[in-house]
Amino acid sequence: MAAETKSLGELGLRAQGGREAQVTGLSVDSRLVRPGHLFAALPGTKVHGAEFIQYALRMEAAAILTDREGAEIAKAELAASDAALIIAEDPRQALAYTAALWFERQPEVVVAVTGTSGKTSVATFTRQIWQALGRTSANLGTMGILGDYTAPLAHTTPEPITLHRVLRDMADAGVTHAAMEASSHGLDQGRLDGVRLSAAAFTNFSQDHLDYHANFDDYFAAKAGLFARVLPEDGTAVINIDEPRGREMLEIARGRGQRLITVGRNPAADLCITSQRFDATGQDLRFTYDAKPHLVRLALIGGFQADNVLAAAGLVIAAGEAPEAVFGALHTLVTVRGRMELAAKRDNGATVFVDYSHKPGALASALQSLRPHVMGRIVVVFGAGGDRDRLKRPLMGEAAAEFADVVIVTDDNPRSEDPGSIRAEVMRGCPEATEVGDRAEAILRGVDALQPGDALLIAGKGHETGQIVGQDVYPFDDAEQASVAVAALDGKI
Ligand SMILES: CC(=O)N[C@H]1[C@@H](OP(=O)(O)OP(=O)(O)OC[C@H]2O[C@@H](n3ccc(=O)[nH]c3=O)[C@H](O)[C@@H]2O)O[C@H](CO)[C@@H](O)[C@@H]1O[C@H](C)C(=O)N[C@@H](C)C(=O)N[C@H](CCC(=O)O)C(=O)O
Ligand SMILES: Nc1ncnc2c1ncn2[C@@H]1O[C@H](COP(=O)(O)OP(=O)(O)OP(=O)(O)O)[C@@H](O)[C@H]1O
Ligand SMILES: N[C@H](CCC[C@H](N)C(=O)O)C(=O)O
Ligand SMILES: [Mg+2]
């Protein structure tokens, strides 16, 4: 079979001097360039991709997409080559549009969700609702692609070439409905600008990623890009209006003329949570839609899961399903892996949950939301990741001290940093805590502390299956360690 090629015109690109080229593929990394490729030389955080144009040309790239700065950096090499040169104001966005045209197909319905917490949960519940309604669907994000099509992913929101390749593969495999996570990095770098969205949701906003975004406002602006730029005017915005900055998001969506579905406990919300009753295995949720009351049983732990479920319901309704059918499917939803997941139970009835809260706001809300399900004390085991936002460490400590009864600080992917120093920074926020570096031992100690009616929350790693120390990844699974600890302490092994 002849390799597929497309002209620059077919890819929506215009080269300097009107030069044409037949492109055989796209790459963003010079090391992956093959003859005939279009190489996107993007301005980076460490280096400008234009530094690598010489290598791309040596590999016989047919076209180079870059910005003015990039064209200047590689001026000499470009002048000596007959590759087409495309200069774009925003080459990342240009690459996103190009990738969409290159791969052509996307599932019929694609929705996206952004917010500091809840993206994976909302995307997963959205997919679960679609599946319950008989749609072939998948969700795409932190845990890879799950549902009626599965594949691993290295990033929550992959760069455009990978993203559009997997969207095409999903569509070809028969997936008609997809829900994707829009990370703030992904939005900031325009990774999903070429995706045709029917609807988008905003969950909440709190501290995260200040190692990447210059400040809080920049971080918010990145998220706002989903409504200000990516979601088209005829799309629907699903917005949590309990979130203080939800109002701002609402104004942005309204300004674009998008249809709105608001979610929250605020009586003005379209999908409005009116009451929740918690017990050991889940919650009964009362909510209204268009002022009509509904009652559903959710086998989910944590009050915030109701927010996530209703955001998912909003997305599914926005994408065209009948509201009554959507509400009828909610009782079928199952816990998202590593999100307030019941991992083990002691003989004395005490429970152990694994949760992916690895930021101050998420840790606080995980602990607060566990409280009404628990009669006794809450023990928490957690740490903070190395080579990530350092500002969040003492804040996570404070959240643990405020909302748990017993606090154990341990390691969570120290990466290249000294684990003891990370723990010390966390402990600044919770000086009374016990420090146990080894995570397995910390979990064992946490489980050992459980009296009847108590619960242990093991926070930070959720679905992860490894502990990253230096360059090494050691197999480690919080849920598995919890079972092992319970079995050992209850005399089963
Ligand atoms: C911080 C960040 O987001 N970096 C992304 C960014 O790379 P960069 O600008 O830092 O790259 P750089 O090293 O300065 O290099 C500049 C350019 O030269 C190219 N290059 C580099 C070397 C070479 O030999 N040849 C070559 O062509 C690079 O591909 C790049 O395009 O642009 C690259 C191309 O689009 C991305 O692959 C890269 O994501 C990296 C891999 C990454 O780890 N990103 C993480 C932080 C991320 O995106 N995480 C979010 C969510 C996290 C969360 O919610 O917790 C995610 O969506 O996963
Ligand atoms: N709506 C919510 N409000 C507050 N906290 C939440 C909410 N949803 C989830 N959380 C907390 O955040 C953690 C991560 O949830 P989830 O994986 O759904 O979010 P995410 O936005 O995808 O996170 P990440 O950016 O790390 O991928 C959960 O384990 C839970 O503790
Ligand atoms: N996507 C996030 C996950 C962090 C999870 C936590 N376990 C850690 O390693 O800090 C990151 O890479 O920053
Ligand atoms: Mg996620």
Side-chain angles (χ1 to χ4, degrees):
M1 197 179 79
E4 190 193 1
T5 67
K6 283 192 167 69
S7 67
L8 292 179
E10 286 172 300
L11 294 174
L13 298 170
R14 263 183 61 85
Q16 298 290 103
R19 184 174 297 190
E20 250 313 338
Q22 284 294 321
V23 170
T24 60
L26 311 177
S27 38
V28 72
D29 185 321
S30 56
R31 290 161 290 198
L32 302 176
V33 173
R34 295 288 167 268
H37 269 203
L38 175 140
F39 171 59
L42 308 173
T45 49
K46 294 191 275 303
V47 55
H48 198 299
E51 301 289 350
F52 306 100
I53 288 178
Q54 49 181 316
Y55 303 108
L57 293 175
R58 208 174 292 163
M59 286 308 295
E60 298 171 39
I64 304 292
L65 166 65
T66 190
D67 56 8
R68 293 220 163 273
E69 191 191 343
E72 195 53 40
I73 292 172
K75 205 168 167 184
E77 292 93 339
L78 287 164
S81 144
D82 58 3
L85 171 65
I86 301 113
I87 298 181
E89 192 80 26
D90 181 347
R92 286 190 182 271
Q93 186 174 60
L95 173 66
Y97 293 152
T98 303
L101 291 168
W102 177 263
F103 289 102
E104 295 176 6
R105 293 177 296 285
Q106 306 181 13
E108 245 161 73
V109 173
V110 185
V111 301
V113 52
T114 196
T116 306
S117 302
K119 297 181 293 297
T120 301
S121 303
V122 172
T124 308
F125 292 142
T126 303
R127 182 260 299 172
Q128 289 185 9
I129 299 171
W130 273 328
Q131 284 183 313
L133 298 178
R135 307 288 179 193
T136 305
S137 62
N139 63 292
L140 178 163
T142 313
M143 291 198 278
I145 307 177
L146 296 172
D148 293 315
Y149 179 91
T150 57
L153 289 177
H155 288 103
T156 292
T157 307
E159 46 74 29
I161 303 175
T162 306
L163 176 59
H164 286 282
R165 177 182 299 118
V166 301
L167 287 173
R168 192 259 331 255
D169 291 349
M170 285 158 74
D172 287 354
V175 171
T176 53
H177 291 66
M180 65 178 291
E181 294 180 49
S183 69
S184 59
H185 293 78
L187 286 164
D188 184 55
Q189 295 169 20
R191 293 181 197 165
L192 64 163
D193 284 21
V195 181
R196 281 190 304 271
L197 294 179
S198 308
F202 172 65
T203 57
N204 52 50
F205 185 75
S206 61
Q207 172 153 346
D208 197 24
H209 298 311
L210 292 184
D211 47 343
Y212 176 83
H213 302 284
N215 53 48
F216 239 45
D217 285 338
D218 272 23
Y219 176 45
F220 183 79
K223 297 211 168 292
L226 183 58
F227 303 93
R229 191 180 74 243
V230 191
L231 182 68
E233 275 89 357
D234 63 358
T236 303
V238 178
I239 291 176
N240 173 2
I241 53 169
D242 292 343
E243 163 59 49
R245 301 199 72 165
R247 293 265 152 203
E248 254 171 273
M249 217 51 114
L250 199 64
E251 287 318 312
I252 291 170
R254 193 171 275 147
R256 297 274 323 278
Q258 291 154 354
R259 197 162 78 89
L260 302 173
I261 298 181
T262 53
V263 180
R265 290 168 176 78
N266 184 321
D270 299 317
L271 272 165
C272 179
I273 298 175
T274 49
S275 72
Q276 284 164 286
R277 200 176 57 198
F278 304 98
D279 54 48
T281 59
Q283 55 193 289
D284 294 314
L285 167 68
R286 271 179 196 283
F287 67 95
T288 57
Y289 179 66
D290 274 350
K292 187 169 168 231
H294 296 269
L295 171 65
V296 289
R297 170 75 191 168
L298 297 176
L300 303 169
I301 299 291
F304 65 79
Q305 291 292 24
D307 301 68
N308 292 339
V309 165
L310 290 190
L315 284 172
V316 176
I317 293 168
E321 304 295 340
E324 295 304 319
V326 173
F327 303 145
L330 300 184
H331 71 278
T332 65
L333 297 178
V334 294
T335 309
V336 181
R337 187 150 178 252
R339 274 71 181 164
M340 302 302 270
E341 178 188 2
L342 178 63
K345 202 167 176 178
R346 292 205 63 173
D347 284 348
N348 66 10
T351 45
V352 185
F353 294 93
V354 169
D355 187 64
Y356 196 45
S357 32
H358 54 83
K359 349 186 176 186
L363 185 59
S365 82
L367 288 166
Q368 279 175 291
S369 71
L370 188 56
R371 185 68 70 185
H373 296 276
V374 178
M375 286 175 65
R377 300 169 310 158
I378 295 182
V379 183
V380 66
V381 169
F382 79 106
D387 303 336
R388 294 289 186 273
D389 187 359
R390 289 179 58 173
L391 297 173
K392 74 179 185 182
R393 294 173 188 170
L395 301 179
M396 289 178 72
E398 282 171 25
E402 185 171 353
F403 300 113
D405 303 296
V406 179
V407 180
I408 302 176
V409 174
T410 188
D411 291 341
D412 179 348
N413 297 335
R415 301 191 176 86
S416 74
E417 289 191 59
D418 169 44
S421 314
I422 301 176
R423 290 197 300 272
E425 287 177 49
V426 173
M427 298 276 295
R428 287 218 324 269
C430 52
E432 311 287 311
T434 306
E435 186 180 338
V436 184
D438 181 84
R439 195 168 176 100
E441 190 191 331
I443 291 172
L444 189 71
R445 293 243 222 138
V447 171
D448 196 27
L450 296 176
Q451 305 285 330
D454 290 351
L456 167 64
L457 183 79
I458 306 172
K461 296 183 77 68
H463 61 283
E464 292 178 359
T465 52
Q467 178 82 308
I468 312 171
V469 183
Q471 299 285 338
D472 302 315
V473 185
Y474 300 96
F476 198 97
D477 180 321
D478 279 349
E480 203 175 282
Q481 289 299 326
S483 301
V484 170
V486 166
L489 290 163
D490 285 345
K492 309 262 166 53
I493 46 174

